[in-house]
Amino acid sequence: MLYQPPRPKIPDCSWQRPLGLGWDKPYTVSDASNLDDGPWHGMPVGGFGAGCISRSSRGDFNLWHLDGGQHTFRSLPACQFSVFERSENSPAQAYALCTEPPEDGTLSAWQWYPAFLETGNGTQAAPIPNTGTYQALYPRSWFTYQQVFQTELTCEQFSPIWAGSYQETSYPIAIFEWTAHNPTDAPITLSIMLTWQNMVGWFTNAVKKAQVGENSNPFSEYQPRWGDSTGNYNQWIVESYRVGCLLDRVRLHDEIQEGEGQLCFATVTNPSMEVFYHCRWNPVGNGAEVWSTFAADGSLGDTQDETAAAPVEQIAAAIAIRFTIRPGRTRKIPFILTWDFPITEFSQGVQYYRRYTDFFGRTGNNAWSMVRTALKHTQLWQERINDWQEPILNREDLPNWFKMALFNELYLLTSGGTLWTAADEQNPVGQFGVWESLDCRWYESIDVRLYGSFALAMLWPRLDKAVLEAFARAIPAIDDTLRIIGDNQATTIRKAAGATPRDLGAPNEHPWERTNYSNYENWHQWQDLPSDFVLQVYRDFILTGSKDTEFLWECWSGVVETLAYLKTFDLDGDGIPEHSGVQAQRQLRGISAYSGGLWLAALEAAIAIGEILLNDYPPISPLLEVPEPELIQEAIELYRRWLAEAQVVYQETLWNGQYYQLDSDSGSDVILADQLCGQFYAQLLGLPDIVPIECAQSAVQTVYDTCFLKFYDAQLGAANGLSFNRTLEESDHTYPLEVSIGINFGLAAFLMKLGMKDEALQLTEAVVRQIYENGLQFRTPETITTVGSFRSSHNLTAMAIWAVYLGLA
């Protein structure tokens, strides 16, 4: 019996969207200074730190994060799949598989895939697109085409990404596996074509120097060399059963530079298939060079031409695979897309090799080697992804919407301007970083990742530890560069010794070495940052089996130094730091429920870390510089004294019998949604409660009732802060009026810890539906509002949904 490859089984919980269906009222930005690319975002392909590409539900490739830390969003029509079909039962037809023709009139000879079918009188047969479905469950997505072709066609696209992989997850490889099934009683001839524009050299910044604007905020003027194809050329490669087009560029110097390298797309052939190619055609013309033959019979002209592109000229290449499917039969055809741009450059001259170069070399000539690897291991990679996902997908106690969002919110690890460098002696898995958001393109903001880093800590913990070790190294650093803070013209140094930096730098300077890139606040005054660092260190130790004492040793000096720094804000000596009206958007005064609670939990975590290190003394690694055990014991005793004093003050000052007041001195009656984040972390990590558990339950119930159930009919999520009588706080700041995605997922995780599973899922579902029903998919923002606006898309905090799953697990 002839072997029949299985047709793809798409998980029921994947996110779904009819091909080409738009949004009537998608969310839009609440601040004109924020970027809004519109709702046409799809799941990205590409490895962590390798750069990524994404394809929307209308079928166009439109997001190009191939330059580390930079963002380019625009459709490139010549990068496209097309399908030709002919059978005894129907005439030949061919379509490029995007429902939106190019706006500039290019490729006018091509026929574009219809989102709507038409009746005999030329009217639409359905009020919504009905010719196919886009589905996504990171790192996989599927395009299913129906009612246009007789063939049942599905394209599954993915990259080799799964939890615990520190090699394949870095690969700049995308697999597009086509499954074609003939349900008719006659043979069908099918041809699948992939075209791609030569973009080598485009993804590097023409402006290297960091700049400061009139409002004193640093910014990066990013000007990619988009369209600069001078010297680009295409090669046709045949190697055994592998065939492909290699897109390259003439290099004028010996050492490879940022943006230089190769792109490659390839497939396989055998005696039952015909392969056609056209290695040099004009992607900004009418496209007839490839379309005239392809639309006629599914072929191409087999043109080889390696002539380099002249100035202003654009070139593209094409491959087509033609085959016949017998009635009832199924065929699978893989297409592989790879890119090899080994260098990421930050400020001029600051260059790093990407992590994947540890496995494929650093010459920029390895795109074809990646093709070989992908074709050899595609099935294994699919099995690894299934093995990772299936235990969660098979859980009957988890609703489908939760499973969907749980995996899809991981998209940011691919597309969030992600950096992942090659390994070195100090960084055995390389250095890692994800930007805070599209509008805050600096890395790993420590307060944002208090919620948002749960996914990384649970799935790729060695990378999360690498981030925290970078913070530990940055804590003692000093940068005495004076700069203006925000709009108030006050000045301060960029980085004070002992202060935990808020971020690990930006891609236009030197990430990991120059921290505190943003200057819209005086980060030295933010009292949650040191506690955030300490708690995340202890969290990663606990979540990875409570055995990695070397990690604790790496971070211990940072823990000690930053807690000492934070204690300097305890002006009255009662054991707990006080605010002076400069804490972020909340304008806190005196001691606060949020930062004060984090301080208490951080002291408990530091005590626990110190006790572990005393039991581990001396450490196994001779390379570690560690303090004498007497100094560790002194630190533990000091933290115990501070904790004993502070815990009493916190409870007596802030507890009002129902919830914890925002702070002690402002007189605000705002109920803060994440007022007890410190208690959440204490419970999560098995530390002693920082407040009586009955008080925690009362406070969280009050938050749930006031900020969620009584706010916007419980359809939006929990507001960041509402007064007890449910009147929105009047303030010059927008913070209390918004729903923060990460804070909501963090609150839901806390509800889980308190045994309120139904309430946690209700809250989580409200937020998830706002994201995935209103055009925010794969660009999840920091906040949404009641008027359909958002702020700060592609935000790190949304991965906090993994904290909810941790509570369920």
Side-chain angles (χ1 to χ4, degrees):
M1 182 176 179
L2 184 66
Y3 168 72
Q4 285 290 289
R7 296 165 70 180
K9 182 180 179 181
I10 304 175
D12 293 337
C13 62
S14 60
W15 183 71
Q16 301 185 26
R17 187 84 182 169
L19 297 183
L21 176 62
W23 287 260
D24 292 335
K25 293 182 179 180
Y27 271 83
T28 56
V29 289
S30 54
D31 188 325
S33 67
N34 279 200
L35 293 179
D36 187 355
D37 293 320
W40 291 105
H41 282 262
M43 195 204 72
V45 289
F48 295 2
C52 76
I53 300 166
S54 74
R55 187 180 178 201
S56 80
S57 56
R58 62 187 175 191
D60 60 325
F61 290 90
N62 58 16
L63 182 139
W64 312 92
H65 285 185
L66 295 177
D67 186 354
Q70 303 296 348
H71 171 71
T72 301
F73 186 86
R74 57 190 298 177
S75 181
L76 203 61
C79 298
Q80 190 54 254
F81 280 102
S82 301
V83 168
F84 165 88
E85 182 190 66
R86 181 181 59 208
S87 76
E88 299 174 2
N89 299 331
S90 64
Q93 58 178 343
Y95 291 100
L97 299 181
C98 177
T99 61
E100 192 75 18
E103 294 180 353
D104 60 3
T106 59
L107 306 184
S108 57
W110 293 23
Q111 185 75 20
W112 298 88
Y113 192 75
F116 297 88
L117 292 179
E118 295 183 349
T119 62
N121 60 9
T123 61
Q124 293 176 354
I128 62 172
N130 56 351
T131 58
T133 305
Y134 172 75
Q135 294 173 261
L137 190 72
Y138 182 89
R140 300 176 292 173
S141 59
W142 300 264
F143 287 83
T144 301
Y145 303 91
Q146 60 195 38
Q147 301 194 73
V148 174
F149 300 111
Q150 292 189 73
T151 312
E152 295 177 355
L153 279 172
T154 300
C155 178
E156 177 179 350
Q157 57 188 44
F158 67 96
S159 293
I161 293 169
W162 60 86
S165 166
Y166 298 94
Q167 179 170 330
E168 291 88 349
T169 295
S170 74
Y171 289 175
I173 293 175
I175 297 98
F176 301 86
E177 185 176 74
W178 283 87
T179 302
H181 176 72
N182 181 356
T184 73
D185 57 3
I188 295 177
T189 296
L190 203 70
S191 182
I192 302 174
M193 178 173 69
L194 177 57
T195 54
W196 208 267
Q197 191 163 348
N198 190 326
M199 313 165 72
V200 176
W202 292 14
F203 299 101
T204 182
N205 194 0
V207 180
K208 301 293 185 182
K209 187 177 179 181
Q211 301 182 37
V212 176
E214 293 180 359
N215 62 356
S216 303
N217 288 322
F219 73 94
S220 172
E221 183 183 354
Y222 181 62
Q223 295 180 6
R225 299 184 184 275
W226 188 270
D228 179 4
S229 297
T230 305
N232 287 7
Y233 63 95
N234 303 332
Q235 294 178 292
W236 174 242
I237 305 292
V238 178
E239 182 188 72
S240 183
Y241 60 91
R242 296 176 287 262
V243 293
C245 292
L246 186 66
L247 315 185
D248 212 325
R249 185 182 183 99
V250 175
R251 301 179 195 172
L252 303 178
H253 35 72
D254 294 333
E255 294 188 4
I256 191 167
Q257 304 296 312
E258 183 188 50
E260 295 181 337
Q262 299 175 331
L263 277 156
C264 187
F265 58 102
T267 185
V268 296
T269 186
N270 60 46
S272 68
M273 303 177 182
E274 297 174 276
V275 60
F276 306 97
Y277 56 92
H278 196 309
C279 278
R280 198 179 195 279
W281 60 277
N282 178 16
V284 293
N286 65 10
E289 298 156 276
V290 292
W291 199 257
S292 59
T293 57
F294 181 76
D297 60 11
S299 71
L300 296 171
D302 290 352
T303 301
Q304 294 191 56
D305 185 345
E306 297 183 16
T307 305
V312 191
E313 188 179 18
Q314 298 297 318
I315 61 172
I319 303 175
I321 294 288
R322 188 171 69 187
F323 52 95
T324 298
I325 315 175
R326 293 165 55 191
R329 300 298 186 184
T330 301
R331 298 286 296 268
K332 281 188 181 289
I333 307 295
F335 282 86
I336 309 297
L337 175 67
T338 67
W339 54 93
D340 182 13
F341 302 125
I343 296 279
T344 291
E345 183 175 58
F346 304 121
S347 62
Q348 192 163 7
V350 179
Q351 297 184 341
Y352 283 81
Y353 288 105
R354 287 172 156 158
R355 169 64 171 173
Y356 78 84
T357 64
D358 287 339
F359 314 108
F360 284 105
R362 300 178 176 181
T363 63
N365 297 320
N366 296 293
W368 188 256
S369 296
M370 296 177 194
V371 167
R372 293 195 200 106
T373 299
L375 290 173
K376 180 179 180 180
H377 295 294
T378 291
Q379 184 175 349
L380 174 63
W381 292 345
Q382 288 174 311
E383 291 172 358
R384 293 284 173 84
I385 294 170
N386 286 332
D387 291 345
W388 164 40
Q389 292 188 333
E390 280 188 350
I392 295 175
L393 301 186
N394 291 338
R395 285 187 59 167
E396 295 182 357
D397 62 322
L398 300 182
N400 277 350
W401 61 261
F402 183 81
K403 299 172 187 176
M404 178 277 294
L406 189 68
F407 285 107
N408 280 339
E409 288 304 328
L410 297 175
Y411 81 95
L412 197 73
L413 294 173
T414 292
S415 69
T418 312
L419 307 177
W420 190 3
T421 70
D424 57 34
E425 185 174 352
Q426 186 180 41
N427 304 284
V429 294
Q431 297 185 87
F432 188 81
V434 177
W435 63 28
E436 178 182 330
S437 72
L438 183 57
D439 296 287
C440 303
R441 264 175 261 175
W442 41 84
Y443 284 92
E444 299 292 346
S445 299
I446 192 73
D447 57 324
V448 178
R449 74 184 326 273
L450 183 68
Y451 291 122
S453 63
F454 271 92
L456 195 65
M458 293 167 65
L459 303 173
W460 291 274
R462 293 173 66 190
L463 294 182
D464 202 67
K465 290 178 180 178
V467 172
L468 294 173
E469 287 171 355
F471 272 103
R473 291 194 291 267
I475 284 170
I478 301 173
D479 185 341
D480 57 8
T481 303
L482 287 175
R483 59 182 186 175
I484 298 173
I485 300 301
D487 297 322
N488 61 14
Q489 301 303 303
T491 60
T492 186
I493 65 172
R494 177 162 174 165
K495 172 65 175 67
T500 297
R502 186 177 183 257
D503 61 68
L504 290 176
N508 60 316
E509 290 190 336
H510 191 167
W512 308 293
E513 297 297 324
R514 294 208 72 193
T515 61
N516 275 349
Y517 177 78
S518 168
N519 70 335
Y520 83 87
E521 291 277 358
N522 182 355
W523 306 120
H524 305 131
Q525 300 289 326
W526 275 40
Q527 294 180 24
D528 52 337
L529 306 185
S531 300
D532 293 343
F533 166 72
V534 176
L535 288 169
Q536 289 175 60
V537 168
Y538 189 57
R539 177 200 64 188
D540 282 17
F541 176 76
I542 294 296
L543 292 184
T544 54
S546 303
K547 296 179 180 179
D548 190 1
T549 54
E550 185 170 342
F551 168 64
L552 294 185
W553 283 115
E554 291 280 0
C555 298
W556 174 249
S557 62
V559 168
V560 172
E561 190 166 351
T562 202
L563 288 179
Y565 175 85
L566 181 52
K567 186 59 167 60
T568 63
F569 291 89
D570 177 16
L571 303 180
D572 57 8
D574 61 359
I576 188 167
E578 288 87 33
H579 296 275
S580 56
V582 294
Q583 171 69 35
Q585 295 143 314
R586 302 183 182 117
Q587 301 297 295
L588 303 172
R589 295 190 178 277
I591 65 172
S592 72
Y594 178 74
S595 295
L598 289 173
W599 165 252
L600 297 177
L603 290 176
E604 291 185 343
I607 292 168
I609 293 171
E611 291 173 339
I612 292 165
L613 296 183
L614 282 180
N615 292 330
D616 186 62
Y617 201 90
I620 295 175
S621 174
L623 301 177
L624 292 171
E625 297 182 9
V626 300
E628 295 297 323
E630 293 80 8
L631 294 177
I632 299 175
Q633 186 63 53
E634 288 178 9
I636 293 172
E637 295 303 323
L638 182 62
Y639 300 154
R640 284 175 176 158
R641 289 199 301 272
W642 291 350
L643 178 62
E645 297 168 352
Q647 204 159 9
V648 173
V649 173
Y650 183 89
Q651 182 69 16
E652 291 181 350
T653 305
L654 298 176
W655 176 246
N656 67 7
Q658 187 169 353
Y659 62 92
Y660 288 86
Q661 295 173 194
L662 179 70
D663 59 23
S664 60
D665 293 351
S666 70
S668 173
D669 66 348
V670 164
I671 301 170
L672 193 66
D674 58 344
Q675 59 185 259
L676 283 181
C677 183
Q679 172 65 16
F680 163 62
Y681 256 86
Q683 286 189 237
L684 178 73
L685 303 180
L687 296 168
D689 293 320
I690 66 167
V691 298
I693 193 64
E694 63 273 14
C695 295
Q697 291 171 331
S698 173
V700 171
Q701 186 68 59
T702 301
V703 169
Y704 183 78
D705 292 342
T706 304
C707 297
F708 175 51
L709 293 182
K710 298 176 182 178
F711 173 71
Y712 207 69
D713 198 27
Q715 297 301 305
L716 201 66
N720 293 333
L722 293 176
S723 61
F724 190 68
N725 63 7
R726 301 188 304 281
T727 300
L728 297 180
E729 179 185 327
E730 296 296 331
S731 171
D732 293 334
H733 299 277
T734 60
Y735 188 83
L737 309 180
E738 297 174 321
V739 170
S740 289
I741 307 302
I743 289 175
N744 271 255
F745 290 157
L747 176 59
F750 194 11
L751 289 166
M752 286 286 185
K753 296 301 294 182
L754 293 174
M756 301 168 68
K757 177 181 176 180
D758 291 344
E759 292 85 346
L761 289 178
Q762 184 186 0
L763 174 62
T764 305
E765 182 178 8
V767 176
V768 166
R769 293 201 180 280
Q770 289 298 321
I771 296 169
Y772 287 92
E773 294 177 2
N774 293 285
L776 293 175
Q777 75 290 335
F778 305 110
R779 57 169 186 152
T780 314
E782 179 183 3
T783 63
I784 55 177
T785 72
T786 59
V787 295
S789 65
F790 70 87
R791 179 167 57 82
S792 197
S793 66
H794 298 256
N795 197 274
L796 174 62
T797 60
M799 286 186 286
I801 194 172
W802 279 86
V804 183
Y805 177 70
L806 184 62
L808 284 166

